């Protein structure tokens, strides 16, 4: 369903009709005001007479429609043939059917970006069928076409979720413009959704692959990303928290043939178990208490692109079963829906846990592990690529100085020496947070004091786990046990911190 509402008067005028005093349709002007939340839409239905406006050239936005698919539902062979000939050279897939029954079959097999739907169909009107598929959880954009325009049909089309409305007969540029508007709105809607999520997570990348540094440990990762970007296989990225698993996943997406569509990340551990299914697959109106309207899930926004499932090992077992089916069948079922919806989404998963151990303990399904682990990419911890610390530190200084509005100071050798002697339990994320504190406090000694614990303990016969535990407990003590603040300082998630505390009995 598009964000924009349909205005019959504007649509009629766009088709080359103008208002006159003598009304051939109703004989008078009607104005209907509909208030939906904060939206007030005024419809003006009046007489129409054709005018001879010159046809304007049609321009396809956002790089054309080569990857788009359209379903045409019309019982007139001539109209189906006309639309197919018009669109087949512009879109990747154009299917035509003469009934809603045949359309239901195709919708169960393929994903369609747009449906061109005739309202006058045998047995069931187009508007009635549109209402049915909306209730089933299908959110395909729909352009309704009809030879009979009246106020009641326009209102019903709007309420059913039609994106546009065309009166037969129409010219080629008119149907192309209507389709273009739908594709543009869908593109902007997805883009707006993704950009808002990225702003919330403060995503920032450096270069095409987003990886900073030239260490020997990083080179195999770069080569693997380039190879994996050329194939659609599912990838499981492993590594400690803060090592850049999402950056690696983004790099695979940006270098792939899906880069023209969206990369949608979701932290499975940060979503409550009772709503994770709705978050991923969407839901229909009335599916559960509080579901006042239908809502698309993240698979919808990732259509044609990549869905990144971070902390996938945190998914509840019931959700793991449903995710496995989606990976195998390439179809999703919104919560409360009666039918499945085909999707074209590449899934990349990541975890900082030992998944094989979780499988043995029964906390993660073995079949899902094998399905996700087609190819595994392990991200090295920062302590194994300390030669990249200067490049990372300088990059974070430039980035954070601009964000904080402070002077971009150049790190000196004393700072680099302190950073190199630290064990980095929070990895690159912790380094970024430490550089931010250094820029704010403006004193190198504050940073070296923060690393003294790691430096002193690593000189003796102390395990890395002990160093990590000592440092985390020190940070927790400094923030009076506030795990959210401690996680922010350490560069790890609250859930990871809680798990470590539970292991230590703290």
């Amino acid at each position: 369903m598009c964000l924009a509402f349909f205005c019959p008067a504007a649509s009629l005028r766009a088709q080359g009709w103008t208002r006159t005093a003598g009304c051939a349709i109703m004989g008078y002007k009607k104005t209907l005001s509909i208030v939906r939340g904060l939206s007030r839409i005024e419809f003006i239905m009046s007489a129409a007479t054709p005018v001879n406006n010159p046809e304007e050239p049609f321009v396809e936005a956002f790089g054309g429609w080569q990857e788009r698919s359209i379903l045409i539902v019309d019982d007139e062979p001539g109209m189906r043939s006309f639309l197919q000939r018009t669109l087949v050279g512009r879109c990747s897939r154009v299917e035509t059917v003469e009934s809603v029954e045949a359309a239901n079959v195709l919708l169960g097999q393929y994903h369609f970006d747009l449906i061109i739907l005739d309202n006058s169909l045998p047995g069931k009107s187009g508007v009635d069928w549109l209402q049915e598929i909306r209730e089933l959880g299908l959110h395909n954009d729909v352009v309704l076409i009809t030879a009979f325009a009246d106020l009641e049909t326009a209102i019903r089309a709007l309420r059913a979720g039609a994106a546009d409305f065309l009166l037969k007969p129409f010219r080629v540029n008119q149907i192309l413009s209507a389709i273009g508007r739908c594709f543009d709105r869908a593109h902007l809607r997805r883009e707006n959704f993704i950009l808002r999520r990225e702003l919330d997570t403060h995503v920032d990348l450096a270069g095409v692959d987003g990886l900073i540094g030239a260490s020997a440990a990083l080179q195999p990762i770069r080569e693997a990303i380039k190879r994996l970007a050329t194939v659609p296989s599912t990838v499981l990225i492993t590594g400690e928290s803060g090592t850049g698993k999402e950056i690696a996943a983004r790099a695979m997406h940006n270098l792939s043939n899906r880069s023209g569509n969206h990369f949608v990340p979701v932290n499975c551990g940060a979503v409550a178990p009772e709503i994770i299914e709705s978050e991923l697959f969407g839901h229909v109106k009335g599916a559960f208490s509080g579901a006042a309207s239908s809502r698309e899930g993240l698979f919808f926004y990732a259509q044609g692109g990549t869905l990144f499932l971070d902390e996938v090992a945190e998914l509840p077992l019931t959700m793991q079963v449903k995710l496995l089916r989606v990976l195998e069948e390439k179809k999703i079922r919104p919560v409360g829906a009666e039918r499945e919806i085909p999707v074209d989404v590449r899934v990349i998963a990541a975890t900082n846990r030992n998944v094989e151990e979780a499988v043995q303990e029964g906390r993660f399904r073995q079949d899902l592990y094998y399905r996700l682990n087609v190819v595994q990419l392990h991200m090295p911890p920062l302590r194994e690529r300390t030669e990249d610390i200067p490049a990372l530190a300088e990059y974070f200084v430039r980035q954070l100085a601009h964000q904080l509005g402070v002077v971009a100071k150049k790190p000196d050798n004393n700072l680099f020496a302190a950073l190199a002697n630290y064990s980095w339990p929070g990895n690159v994320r912790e380094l970024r947070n430490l550089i931010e504190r250094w820029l704010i406090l403006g004193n190198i000694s504050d940073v070296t004091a923060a690393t003294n614990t790691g430096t002193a303990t690593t000189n003796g016969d102390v395990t890395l786990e002990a160093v990590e535990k000592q440092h985390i407990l020190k940070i927790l003590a400094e923030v009076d046990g506030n795990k959210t603040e401690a996680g922010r300082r350490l560069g790890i998630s609250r859930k990871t911190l809680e798990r470590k505390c539970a292991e230590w009995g703290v």
Side-chain angles (χ1 to χ4, degrees):
M1 186 186 300
C2 281
L3 292 175
F5 291 102
F6 155 69
C7 177
S11 184
L12 288 173
R13 288 196 294 272
Q15 296 176 58
W17 297 79
T18 184
R19 291 184 292 166
T20 63
C23 289
I25 298 178
M26 292 184 176
Y28 58 92
K29 180 170 75 175
K30 289 188 177 181
T31 301
L32 170 68
S33 296
I34 299 176
V35 178
R36 285 186 176 180
L38 298 178
S39 299
R40 183 179 183 273
I41 306 166
E42 184 178 68
F43 294 101
I44 300 178
M45 294 298 294
S46 60
T49 57
V51 294
N52 296 321
N53 292 331
E55 293 190 4
E56 297 179 358
F58 175 75
V59 179
E60 297 173 3
F62 299 112
W65 306 344
Q66 292 82 5
E67 298 181 358
R68 305 290 187 173
S69 55
I70 296 179
L71 174 62
I72 301 166
V73 186
D74 198 308
D75 61 335
E76 298 180 15
M79 180 57 69
R80 293 199 305 272
S81 177
F82 162 70
L83 291 173
Q84 185 173 40
R85 285 185 285 105
T86 300
L87 300 172
V88 70
R90 291 180 165 89
C91 304
S92 62
R93 176 186 293 274
V94 179
E95 299 286 350
T96 63
V97 293
E98 61 182 8
S99 66
V100 296
E101 291 77 15
N104 282 329
V105 174
L106 285 180
L107 286 175
Q109 297 174 344
Y110 308 104
H111 166 79
F112 291 96
D113 297 289
L114 178 69
I115 301 174
I116 299 177
L117 176 63
D118 183 29
N119 189 46
S120 302
L121 294 171
K124 182 179 298 182
S125 71
V127 174
D128 290 339
W129 183 65
L130 176 57
Q131 290 175 331
E132 288 183 6
I133 64 173
R134 287 289 185 260
E135 292 172 357
L136 292 173
L138 275 73
H139 300 282
N140 312 66
D141 282 339
V142 175
V143 173
L144 198 69
I145 58 177
T146 181
F148 308 98
D150 59 76
L151 183 62
E152 182 181 355
T153 302
I155 294 173
R156 291 187 62 207
L158 169 66
R159 289 176 173 169
D164 214 328
F165 190 96
L166 288 181
L167 181 63
K168 295 180 181 180
F170 45 76
R171 297 189 297 269
V172 171
N173 74 316
Q174 291 171 341
I175 186 66
L176 292 180
S177 294
I179 295 171
R181 286 192 296 270
C182 288
F183 287 163
D184 294 350
R185 284 193 296 262
H187 176 93
L188 291 173
R189 183 183 182 183
R190 285 184 169 94
E191 188 174 68
N192 181 63
F193 177 84
I194 301 305
L195 289 176
R196 285 180 180 275
R197 287 176 62 89
E198 292 185 351
L199 285 173
D200 291 340
T201 54
H202 306 288
V203 171
D204 185 82
L205 297 178
V208 176
D209 61 11
L211 300 175
I212 300 172
S215 63
L218 203 58
Q219 295 312 310
I221 302 300
R222 281 200 167 100
E223 294 299 322
I225 287 174
K226 291 178 182 178
R227 291 195 300 269
L228 292 171
T230 62
V231 296
S233 304
T234 305
V235 179
L236 179 63
I237 305 177
T238 59
E240 298 176 11
S241 180
T243 51
K245 296 187 287 295
E246 181 175 339
I247 291 176
R250 283 182 180 275
M252 271 182 259
H253 171 78
N254 293 335
L255 296 173
S256 73
N257 58 5
R258 294 177 176 267
S259 58
N261 294 306
H262 296 300
F263 175 89
V264 182
V266 55
N267 188 328
C268 300
V271 182
E274 57 270 17
I275 65 171
I276 184 66
E277 183 178 1
S278 174
E279 184 76 5
L280 292 178
F281 304 150
H283 63 258
V284 299
K285 180 179 180 181
F288 49 83
S289 178
S293 61
S294 297
R295 179 181 180 272
E296 300 93 345
L298 295 180
F299 270 92
F300 168 83
Y301 291 103
Q303 178 65 32
T306 303
L307 180 66
F308 175 60
L309 300 176
D310 197 8
E311 303 297 347
V312 69
E314 306 298 331
L315 284 174
L317 287 171
T318 54
M319 191 61 210
Q320 293 178 25
V321 177
K322 295 174 181 178
L323 177 60
L324 175 63
R325 180 173 178 81
V326 172
L327 295 175
E328 293 178 342
E329 303 294 333
K330 303 294 183 183
K331 295 179 180 180
I332 63 171
R333 185 192 296 272
V335 179
E338 297 179 1
R339 65 178 300 164
E340 295 180 326
I341 303 173
V343 292
D344 175 24
V345 175
R346 183 186 188 181
V347 173
I348 299 177
T351 181
N352 60 7
R353 299 179 62 178
N354 187 329
V355 186
E356 293 181 352
E357 182 179 298
V359 169
Q360 294 175 357
E361 295 175 356
R363 292 181 284 109
F364 198 82
R365 290 183 61 92
Q366 186 178 48
D367 47 4
L368 178 59
Y369 171 62
Y370 291 144
R371 189 64 184 81
L372 290 173
N373 195 33
V374 176
V375 180
Q376 186 173 136
L377 181 68
H378 182 74
M379 299 298 293
L382 185 57
R383 61 181 173 274
E384 295 180 5
R385 41 181 291 228
T386 54
E387 56 267 46
D388 291 333
I389 289 179
L392 286 164
E394 291 176 355
Y395 171 73
F396 289 140
V397 166
R398 293 193 302 271
Q399 178 197 79
L400 294 169
H402 176 72
Q403 293 179 5
L404 298 172
V406 299
V407 177
K409 300 183 298 181
K410 183 176 178 61
D412 58 17
N413 293 333
N414 291 332
L415 176 62
F416 287 144
L419 300 181
N421 289 327
Y422 184 47
S423 61
W424 298 110
N427 293 290
V428 178
R429 189 181 293 124
E430 185 181 5
L431 172 63
R432 183 186 186 279
N433 292 347
L434 193 146
I435 293 296
E436 182 175 357
R437 292 201 299 276
W438 175 64
L439 287 172
I440 295 172
L441 296 173
N443 193 331
I444 294 179
S445 61
D446 293 323
V447 177
T448 55
T451 62
N452 278 340
T453 301
T455 305
T457 54
T458 52
N459 290 332
D461 296 329
V462 183
T463 65
L464 179 61
E465 288 77 13
V467 174
E468 179 185 43
K469 178 180 178 180
Q470 183 178 357
H471 180 59
I472 289 177
L473 293 179
K474 176 180 177 293
I475 297 298
L476 278 170
E478 290 177 357
V479 297
D480 297 325
N482 187 326
K483 292 180 181 177
T484 301
E485 175 61 19
R488 190 191 70 79
R489 292 191 182 187
L490 291 166
I492 60 178
S493 68
R494 178 187 173 94
K495 196 173 187 69
T496 299
L497 184 57
E498 288 177 341
R499 188 174 69 250
K500 290 183 178 295
C501 290
E503 292 174 356
W504 300 330
V506 178

